[in-house]
């Protein structure tokens, strides 16, 4: 199974992805980690461009082919990046769940953005202004939307786990 976690920075993607991956024994593939490793290698500077996503897609596909569940976390601000995650699932015949993580309370979202700790060495976190003005294409297909505003991690992860359970149910025979 491929669990695709997308959304703007500081909405709670990493916290939810790590918690879910730990609870279900999944591999957590995080584009930020990959991109920062590319920068530290000296091969690129931020913004890295499509390289981090390309590596993440390849890693997710490799893990899925081994029969592992993957929690793939990225902003995926463009439809093309979201489509690429879906293509990974299709190529591996893995069921997929797409979840967009949002924080509908602008004050809470801003507080998170301005006070969060860097958990990847040397990663420059985006400013609130950069988050608000970042291009982010609207979604044009069904997905699970999890609003983290005023909700604890356990409740949000429970929503994800319910969606996973429903996705694993085999289709009814004709």
């Amino acid at each position: 199974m491929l669990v695709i976690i997308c959304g703007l920075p500081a909405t709670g993607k990493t916290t939810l992805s790590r918690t879910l991956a730990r609870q279900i024994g999944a591999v957590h593939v995080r584009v930020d980690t990959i991109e920062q490793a590319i920068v530290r290698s000296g091969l690129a500077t931020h913004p890295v461009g499509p390289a981090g996503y390309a590596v993440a897609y390849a890693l997710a596909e490799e893990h899925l082919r081994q029969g592992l569940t993957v929690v793939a976390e990225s902003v995926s601000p463009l439809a093309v990046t979201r489509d690429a995650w879906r293509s990974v699932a299709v190529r591996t015949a893995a069921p997929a769940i797409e979840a967009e993580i949002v924080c509908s309370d602008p004050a809470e979202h801003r507080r998170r953005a301005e006070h969060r700790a860097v958990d990847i060495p040397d990663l420059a976190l985006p400013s609130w202004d950069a988050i608000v003005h970042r291009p982010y294409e609207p979604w044009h297909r069904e997905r699970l939307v999890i609003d983290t505003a005023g909700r604890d991690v356990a409740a949000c992860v429970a929503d994800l786990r319910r969606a996973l359970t429903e996705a694993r149910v085999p289709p009814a025979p004709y």
Side-chain angles (χ1 to χ4, degrees):
M1 166 151 308
L2 177 59
V3 183
I4 305 161
I5 306 286
C6 306
L8 287 171
T11 56
K13 294 183 311 296
T14 300
T15 300
L16 297 182
S17 296
R18 285 179 176 161
T19 303
L20 178 65
R22 192 171 34 255
Q23 285 183 10
I24 66 173
V27 176
H28 177 209
V29 174
R30 183 179 178 196
V31 169
D32 283 348
T33 302
I34 294 165
E35 288 180 340
Q36 191 57 29
I38 292 169
V39 169
R40 276 195 309 271
S41 77
L43 294 174
T45 59
H46 281 293
V48 173
Y53 279 83
V55 171
Y57 303 143
L59 286 171
E61 186 167 335
E62 176 69 20
H63 294 311
L64 289 167
R65 289 193 188 285
Q66 293 175 45
L68 302 172
T69 296
V70 175
V71 176
E73 176 204 341
S74 62
V75 174
S76 285
L78 308 174
V80 68
T81 56
R82 298 175 203 141
D83 292 345
W85 283 120
R86 293 291 299 219
S87 293
V88 169
V90 168
R91 285 193 303 274
T92 59
I97 297 279
E98 289 179 290
E100 181 183 20
I101 311 304
V102 300
C103 181
S104 64
D105 179 341
E108 182 177 343
H109 192 184
R110 182 176 188 154
R111 181 191 53 74
R112 290 178 189 176
E114 292 177 344
H115 297 342
R116 64 187 177 150
V118 177
D119 64 336
I120 300 172
D122 303 319
L123 178 66
L125 296 175
S127 67
W128 174 244
D129 191 57
I131 292 169
V132 170
H133 292 101
R134 180 183 193 126
Y136 191 84
E137 294 178 1
W139 288 69
H140 297 293
R141 65 174 167 253
E142 192 173 323
R143 81 256 183 227
L144 173 65
V145 177
I146 297 182
D147 188 351
T148 60
R151 297 182 69 214
D152 66 17
V153 173
C156 295
V157 171
D159 290 347
L160 283 165
R161 293 194 66 166
R162 269 190 298 283
L164 292 176
T165 300
E166 291 169 9
R168 287 194 169 129
V169 174
Y174 292 101

